[in-house]
Amino acid sequence: MKGRRRSRRTPLVLAFALIAGLGAAVPAAADPAPPPFRNPSLSVDRRVDDLLSRLTLSEKISLLHQHQPAIPRLGIQSFRTGTEALHGVAWLGETTVFPQAVGLASTWDPELMERVGSAVGDEARGFQQERPDGWGLNLWAPVVNLLRDPRWGRNEEGYSEDPTLTGALSTAYGKGLTGGDPDHLKTAPTLKHYLANNNEWHRTTTSSELRPRVAKEYDEAAFRPAIAADAATGVMSSYNLVNGRPATVNPDLNDVVRSWTDRDLLNVTDAFAPANLPGDQRYHPTLAEGDAAAMKAGIDSFTDNGADPGPTVGAITSALEQGLLAESDIDTAVSHILSVRVRLGEFDPGGGRYGAIGKSVIDSPGHRRLAREAATEGAVLLKNHQNALPLDASHKDVAVVGPLADTLYTDWYSGTLPYAVTPADGIAAKLGTDVTTSEGVDRVTLKDTATGKYVTAGTGTAGAALKESAEEPTTEAQFDVFDWGQGMLTLRSAANGHFVGYNWSNFVNDQAQPGGWFVQQLFRLEEQPDGTHLLRYAGYETEEPWWSNPVYLGPTGADGTLGLVPRERAAHYAKDVVRSGVQEAVAAVKGRDTAVVVVGSNPSINGREAHDRTDMSLAPAQEALVEAVREANPNTVVIVENSYPTTLGKLQQRVPALLWTSHAGQETGNALADLLYGDANPAGRLTQTWYRSEADLPSILDYDIIKSDRTYQYFRGRPLYPFGHGLSYTTFRYGELRRVTDGYEVRVTNTGGRAGDEVVQLYVHQRVSRDEQPLKQLKAFQRVSLRPGETKPVRLKLSTSDLAHWDVTRSKWVVETGTYDIMVGASSSDLRATTTRQVRGETIPPRDLSKPTRAENFDDYEATRLVDESKARGTAVESTADGAWLRFKDARLSPGAGRLTARVAGTSPGTLEVRLGSPTGPLAGTARTEGTGSPYTYETVTANLSPAAKGRWDVYLVVGKGLRLSTFTLG
């Protein structure tokens, strides 16, 4: 059973323990000894083996679904994988809501992350006394997918574009969740989503192409630390394909992930992913074949069909009957599940070490304080011209305006807020007085020009179906229009303060906030040549391929109730502005001591699960609002509250101070007030590059960060704000960078007048290498607190092995001999102290192509893609156009290298050329295939090479369109 950790206890020690536990004299009427699986003095493996031996085959199969049933004859309760706990326990009711994951990461504070993880683990345990529907101690968190592209709809769920930072923070959060003892788990965290899951566009059918260096140095590097540190108990496979193979059947789940630890891992599928294999992925013809392949690859628990285990149980049973699986395969997966359940204390007296935790921990005073601390630490001061911040608390005449000034939004994976301190609330509490507020949004009426009647909504919390019913623009006929960019609007009824949404039948003003899986509160107002507007429904389900309904609104009944109608029947509305949002905000800020403008995103609208962003700018209406407020009051500071890097347009030039925060949970307003008025000193740092424009980015589907110059490691442009950036109200001086036994040390001094935290960041750069190297690469960091005038030595660990990269010529990690720049500073672009390090490592030898070489181990490529060699394992390269090529740099061809031998597949005839020096260089040989009839059927083709094929060359393989190449030799 791969991954099982054997106890270090000797049999003799166990024997004495058992004797001591049973006692010397046992009364005749004593209860029988508990079975070994209930004996906490035994090793985890012994207990798992015992329980596994007591289960019938059908009982074992039943445990393979997310919803594991109770087994009454053994006194075993039901178990469920998958409580969401990304930044607090979600979907179970009111709990402490911490900042979004990207906000937590912006603290650059592993110690804080561990405390937050511990609090979340406690609250997950707190629900155990009642076990509400959806509860479980297997937590689906943290998300460690790298934030390679800021347009990813789920950017808020990840930590960073950097694997070192992501690995450190996910390990800390995971340690908090587990409690720190892998044999006695508080909760069992699962890392999401393995692997290379960073786009939502067609997320179940697009393939993330990972050349070996990108896989090893980047994507896998984010997942490995938490697993290796026993800070996570498994991974969730992602929806996407990796090199043409669905991640649900990625053999790396066993071959790679389980090699990182000697403990059992419980690997799960993403929701409904098993059904995708025979479904839209069309990878296996039946669910039985797909589930069998997933289990062989390393999946232990199937998340499919909601709470109904029937299809999974049926598929696994069928796979056994067909010989696709053996009972030993079932045993392996079930042992992984049982190992986690044993370690959670489920079978211990009283539920084990953490069984007594009760509901009092949920939203406890301590957790509220921690939420405020996390929200404060994670905010990033982007700009502070002429020390516009901090504000003077004696200047109490303040206006707080903007669409996010007096509200808090939650995201899909948020818990339910137990209370909400908005920015306006926090500032008012800080100043001890009321503040003037304005959302700065227009209030409008919509009058059908054909009937002369106004659209109305209902009063009361439940609202009512929208109708064309009013003759006058009454309050029931007025709507606040929130512009979220790209023409996307939400309409809030003035009648009851609730948003209008679609309920699959009518449009009703009954939503406190936009939300839901299909966000059904979205509209567009499309201006027509005659000045009227069509009201278009733009709910997220309208973007689904199955949507066939019309999308325009118009009266559908005699009473004027609005419904969906074809464009030709759409009502033409005169839009009248009852109240100008900009004018109201300007009036609110004029003459005030300070104007605080809070703008940003709605996490349900501006990109989220299943929806990427195509635009990273603020909504134009928000930019216009900020500009008008700044013109009216030069003492304007801006808070940008969103979940992703923002291009910011002209804003960052025109306003004196910019403070960024994620949607930071229940304590957002208090944290912002502490920062604005100097009771806290900003020390958050950006975990992603903030680009100036979407033009700085290639396709979101391009995962090759090396070739496409992605992330701060390879980006050669000038960012708006660099990775690691963040300002402070004080200043810091760096001393000389000195090498010490385990790394480097630098003395950092607070040279300002305020106490503050500096995040000291260490980067490396390899000057000369056989392979393209990052411009700089984070290897260590430390957040340090300093009083005014205080100096502290900051030690940053760096070993020689940390300088390794993946050598594709020999498929191994290598540290090359050479000079390495070691740099420390306040960001990736603000490096204060540097030194060099001479390393005696290896020299990568010339390629030996006389040995079988995998095509995927190229050095460069053009017009090719990485694909699945077979459905079980392996990666091949497929040509996507005539003239496609692969480069194999610096190959030594011996005088006897007279023959090309290659394994190829394809449905059509094609050629494979060997060229020297360039894709159009001297032709050394050509192999031909008439086609193999299937992309998975390979044949060996050969060709004689010309006498010129000797010596050291860059060898190019020019591959005919549609041809797949697995391996080759020149020998």
Side-chain angles (χ1 to χ4, degrees):
M1 297 178 186
K2 189 172 183 179
R4 298 292 295 280
R5 177 183 181 272
R6 294 296 166 185
S7 171
R8 296 186 177 92
R9 298 180 181 181
T10 66
L12 183 61
V13 171
L14 284 175
F16 278 122
L18 287 171
I19 292 170
L22 293 173
V26 180
D31 291 334
F37 78 86
R38 292 195 178 277
N39 188 342
S41 68
L42 299 179
S43 71
V44 172
D45 287 342
R46 171 78 183 278
R47 298 174 73 184
V48 169
D49 291 343
D50 175 69
L51 180 50
L52 187 67
S53 71
R54 297 171 186 271
L55 298 173
T56 67
L57 178 58
S58 61
E59 287 170 341
K60 288 186 284 190
I61 294 173
S62 74
L63 300 181
L64 298 175
H65 188 260
Q66 178 189 25
H67 292 262
Q68 301 172 27
I71 303 175
R73 70 180 186 85
L74 295 176
I76 295 175
Q77 290 185 285
S78 61
F79 184 86
R80 182 186 188 274
T81 63
T83 295
E84 301 291 353
L86 184 61
H87 53 108
V89 180
W91 306 355
L92 298 183
E94 291 185 356
T95 57
T96 308
V97 178
F98 293 95
Q100 292 175 308
V102 71
L104 288 172
S106 298
T107 66
W108 289 61
D109 190 342
E111 186 274 335
L112 175 68
M113 292 289 288
E114 184 169 348
R115 286 191 284 129
V116 171
S118 181
V120 175
D122 284 345
E123 296 202 7
R125 279 280 179 175
F127 282 103
Q128 70 183 325
Q129 309 303 342
E130 297 180 2
R131 295 169 62 96
D133 184 47
W135 169 86
L137 292 175
N138 173 243
L139 307 186
W140 286 356
V143 170
V144 297
N145 295 112
L146 292 164
L147 305 183
R148 166 197 65 105
D149 194 307
R151 295 169 298 189
W152 186 34
R154 303 180 74 170
N155 195 84
E156 68 215 29
E157 298 181 35
Y159 288 148
S160 172
E161 68 183 39
D162 181 77
T164 294
L165 181 58
T166 296
L169 298 178
S170 59
T171 298
Y173 191 69
K175 281 185 176 179
L177 292 173
T178 64
D181 181 347
D183 283 332
H184 299 89
L185 298 170
K186 182 188 295 185
T187 65
T190 301
L191 304 183
K192 297 163 66 172
H193 313 79
Y194 194 85
L195 182 69
N197 179 198
N198 191 229
N199 67 273
E200 298 301 291
W201 187 81
H202 291 194
R203 62 181 180 167
T204 64
T205 54
T206 53
S207 178
S208 305
E209 295 179 33
L210 302 182
R211 59 197 283 194
R213 279 195 64 196
V214 175
K216 297 295 181 184
E217 298 173 21
Y218 192 64
D219 288 279
E220 289 178 16
F223 281 83
R224 181 171 184 164
I227 296 291
D230 295 322
T233 58
V235 300
M236 172 189 284
S237 60
S238 52
Y239 284 123
N240 54 287
L241 287 70
V242 177
N243 294 345
R245 181 181 296 106
T248 309
V249 292
N250 185 347
D252 285 0
L253 294 166
N254 266 336
D255 300 345
V256 175
V257 177
R258 286 198 160 100
S259 73
W260 295 335
T261 180
D262 61 357
R263 297 182 185 273
D264 277 340
L265 298 177
L266 165 53
N267 293 335
V268 307
T269 73
D270 209 336
F272 307 104
N276 290 336
L277 291 168
D280 57 3
Q281 291 171 339
R282 299 182 182 178
Y283 202 73
H284 289 287
T286 66
L287 187 61
E289 289 167 280
D291 283 3
M295 286 190 67
K296 291 283 192 181
I299 289 294
D300 306 305
S301 178
F302 293 84
T303 315
D304 209 4
N305 300 287
D308 179 12
T312 296
V313 169
I316 297 296
T317 302
S318 175
L320 282 167
E321 293 170 349
Q322 295 177 60
L324 301 172
L325 290 173
E327 186 170 356
S328 60
D329 296 315
I330 308 298
D331 288 347
T332 296
V334 173
S335 71
H336 296 154
I337 295 167
L338 296 180
S339 174
V340 168
R341 293 181 66 169
V342 165
R343 289 147 62 197
L344 283 167
E346 179 181 346
F347 309 123
D348 293 357
R353 181 179 296 179
Y354 301 102
I357 295 176
K359 291 197 70 173
S360 63
V361 301
I362 299 173
D363 190 37
S364 66
H367 290 178
R368 291 184 175 192
R369 290 191 294 272
L370 183 60
R372 183 169 180 166
E373 181 182 357
T376 304
E377 279 203 20
V380 181
L381 184 59
L382 299 174
K383 179 183 179 181
N384 194 21
H385 183 62
Q386 294 183 342
N387 297 319
L389 291 175
L391 301 173
D392 186 341
S394 67
H395 298 163
K396 297 181 181 294
D397 192 6
V398 175
V400 187
V401 301
L404 283 83
D406 203 19
T407 189
L408 295 184
Y409 288 113
T410 56
D411 60 47
W412 177 249
Y413 288 106
S414 289
T416 302
L417 293 171
Y419 60 90
V421 183
T422 71
D425 292 336
I427 292 171
K430 178 68 64 178
L431 297 177
T433 186
D434 291 337
V435 297
T436 303
T437 62
S438 167
E439 290 175 309
V441 299
D442 289 346
R443 177 166 289 185
V444 305
T445 60
L446 299 172
K447 182 173 70 174
D448 189 331
T449 57
T451 66
K453 292 186 176 181
Y454 290 90
V455 175
T456 60
T459 58
T461 303
L466 265 60
K467 295 181 180 180
E468 293 182 2
S469 63
E471 302 287 347
E472 300 294 331
T474 61
T475 300
E476 288 79 6
Q478 297 176 16
F479 299 89
D480 298 325
V481 181
F482 290 79
D483 181 353
W484 298 108
Q486 297 185 283
M488 200 70 74
L489 310 172
T490 53
L491 302 175
R492 188 181 64 193
S493 169
N496 67 351
H498 278 51
F499 288 88
V500 176
Y502 184 53
N503 63 8
W504 304 101
S505 177
N506 299 118
F507 292 91
V508 182
N509 58 318
D510 61 351
Q511 300 296 306
Q513 283 191 7
W517 180 253
F518 295 116
V519 183
Q520 297 181 300
Q521 297 83 36
L522 302 179
F523 299 88
R524 297 179 188 273
L525 278 170
E526 298 180 352
E527 188 171 5
Q528 304 302 298
D530 62 359
T532 63
H533 291 80
L534 303 185
L535 184 57
R536 181 187 180 99
Y537 174 55
Y540 272 1
E541 74 271 28
T542 63
E543 299 180 27
E544 296 292 324
W546 47 264
W547 179 268
S548 60
N549 293 343
V551 292
Y552 288 94
L553 272 68
T556 56
D559 64 350
T561 297
L562 295 185
L564 292 173
V565 297
R567 181 184 175 91
E568 60 270 17
R569 288 177 48 202
H572 285 246
Y573 292 111
K575 183 186 76 170
D576 293 322
V577 177
V578 176
R579 183 193 67 204
S580 164
V582 168
Q583 290 178 8
E584 183 188 64
V586 165
V589 304
K590 274 187 175 178
R592 307 290 179 188
D593 294 334
T594 310
V596 179
V597 190
V598 191
V599 293
S601 69
N602 183 310
S604 294
I605 296 171
N606 297 107
R608 50 153 289 174
E609 186 166 354
H611 294 271
D612 292 319
R613 276 173 288 280
T614 57
D615 185 332
M616 294 187 297
S617 62
L618 284 176
Q622 293 188 23
E623 281 206 45
L625 173 68
V626 173
E627 180 63 19
V629 168
R630 189 193 67 83
E631 288 288 340
N633 188 328
N635 299 318
T636 294
V637 296
V638 176
I639 296 170
V640 179
E641 184 179 341
N642 66 11
S643 317
Y644 51 90
T646 306
T647 53
L648 292 181
K650 298 177 181 177
L651 239 177
Q652 80 88 20
Q653 298 174 359
R654 295 183 177 178
V655 298
L658 283 166
L659 181 68
W660 175 86
T661 178
S662 70
H663 295 278
Q666 62 205 52
E667 286 286 341
T668 299
N670 284 331
L672 291 173
D674 287 343
L675 292 162
L676 290 174
Y677 288 93
D679 291 326
N681 193 342
R685 300 292 184 264
L686 298 180
T687 67
Q688 295 175 265
T689 303
W690 282 43
Y691 298 97
R692 293 181 178 274
S693 166
E694 291 83 3
D696 289 331
L697 295 166
S699 165
I700 196 172
L701 301 180
D702 184 346
Y703 278 75
D704 189 347
I705 67 166
I706 300 174
K707 191 175 179 71
S708 59
D709 294 339
R710 275 188 180 275
T711 80
Y712 81 93
Q713 292 189 23
Y714 295 96
F715 181 60
R716 298 179 187 277
R718 187 167 65 94
L720 180 65
Y721 296 114
F723 173 82
H725 171 75
L727 303 177
S728 171
Y729 295 153
T730 190
T731 55
F732 300 95
R733 183 179 66 240
Y734 285 64
E736 181 182 351
L737 185 59
R738 297 189 311 109
R739 187 172 177 183
V740 293
T741 303
D742 57 353
Y744 290 85
E745 184 177 280
V746 62
R747 295 177 66 81
V748 180
T749 302
N750 182 344
T751 53
R754 290 176 178 266
D757 288 6
E758 172 70 321
V759 178
V760 182
Q761 304 163 40
L762 184 148
Y763 296 86
V764 302
H765 169 66
Q766 184 176 345
R767 289 188 179 181
V768 178
S769 172
R770 177 199 180 277
D771 302 308
E772 183 176 355
Q773 293 296 326
L775 303 172
K776 57 180 74 76
Q777 192 172 15
L778 182 73
K779 289 298 181 181
F781 64 93
Q782 186 175 331
R783 182 165 173 149
V784 58
S785 299
L786 294 165
R787 298 186 302 275
E790 184 180 12
T791 298
K792 284 184 179 179
V794 179
R795 182 165 289 196
L796 300 157
K797 292 184 178 180
L798 182 72
S799 65
T800 300
S801 62
D802 292 329
L803 303 176
H805 76 277
W806 188 254
D807 173 19
V808 294
T809 72
R810 296 170 293 172
S811 294
K812 72 170 193 174
W813 291 100
V814 60
V815 177
E816 290 182 282
T817 296
T819 301
Y820 294 76
D821 294 314
I822 314 297
M823 305 162 281
V824 296
S827 80
S828 61
S829 295
D830 183 7
L831 300 169
R832 309 285 187 85
T834 64
T835 188
T836 59
R837 182 166 172 176
Q838 303 300 320
V839 175
R840 293 186 63 183
E842 295 183 61
T843 298
I844 299 175
R847 279 187 180 268
D848 182 0
L849 298 182
S850 67
K851 298 177 180 178
T853 299
R854 297 204 61 82
E856 66 178 310
N857 284 327
F858 50 73
D859 290 293
D860 198 3
Y861 60 96
E862 186 66 42
T864 63
R865 63 175 185 163
L866 295 166
V867 294
D868 48 340
E869 182 178 2
S870 74
K871 292 198 171 183
R873 62 183 60 249
T875 296
V877 179
E878 181 179 84
S879 166
T880 60
D882 290 328
W885 51 262
L886 301 174
R887 180 193 184 199
F888 297 87
K889 178 182 175 182
D890 189 25
R892 178 183 285 127
L893 304 180
S894 66
R899 195 168 185 80
L900 162 69
T901 304
R903 291 187 70 243
V904 299
T907 57
S908 302
T911 61
L912 178 65
E913 297 178 348
V914 179
R915 291 187 176 268
L916 306 178
S918 78
T920 57
L923 178 64
T926 302
R928 292 177 172 81
T929 176
E930 295 304 313
T932 62
S934 166
Y936 299 116
T937 300
Y938 285 82
E939 68 173 359
T940 300
V941 297
T942 62
N944 291 326
L945 299 179
S946 71
K950 62 182 179 180
R952 289 178 72 164
W953 289 93
D954 285 357
V955 172
Y956 287 79
L957 299 183
V958 181
V959 189
K961 183 178 180 179
L963 196 65
R964 289 188 173 195
L965 174 63
S966 170
T967 60
F968 72 97
T969 60
L970 300 179

